[in-house]
Amino acid sequence: MELVLALAIGVLTGSGVWLLLRPRTFQIIMGLALLSYAVNLFIFSMGRLGLATGKAPVLQAGVVQDLVHYADPMPQALVLTAIVIGFAMTALFLVVLLASRGLSGTDHVDGHEPPDPRDLV
């Protein structure tokens, strides 16, 4: 299972970085979203190391209160918060993208289209 999770994190990170290097704004926004998903998976997977798996993250009466008997709820809370913030930021970026496209007429990062190779001949 660790191999599948590591491959998923790697594919999401690689795809996100590739999309970040593209010239269009929408592709950059999608690249940022993929990178945030990869970071969320990474944080969630790192929260499972060194702690008991399959245990409850809440204290129970009669059980010793140490990390061996409980799961750590902090990575789950961090990932949930990151998902909500990431969704809000993606929505904000898309609104800014639409406004920028309306003002400039293009969605290229530098504000103008590259020259068409057919026009240079």
Side-chain angles (χ1 to χ4, degrees), residues 28-104:
I28 291 174
I29 292 171
M30 290 299 107
L32 286 172
L34 287 179
L35 275 177
S36 72
Y37 297 148
V39 169
N40 288 343
L41 275 177
F42 181 71
I43 290 172
F44 190 71
S45 66
M46 289 298 107
R48 303 300 291 170
L49 295 178
L51 297 174
T53 57
K55 304 293 182 178
V58 295
L59 299 177
Q60 297 174 354
V63 180
V64 181
Q65 296 181 3
D66 59 357
L67 291 179
V68 176
H69 297 94
Y70 296 102
D72 188 11
M74 185 59 73
Q76 298 160 0
L78 287 174
V79 168
L80 183 61
T81 305
I83 289 170
V84 171
I85 292 172
F87 179 74
M89 290 303 296
T90 302
L92 176 70
F93 286 156
L94 288 175
V95 168
V96 170
L97 163 72
L98 289 174
S100 172
R101 183 176 169 93
L103 291 174
S104 68

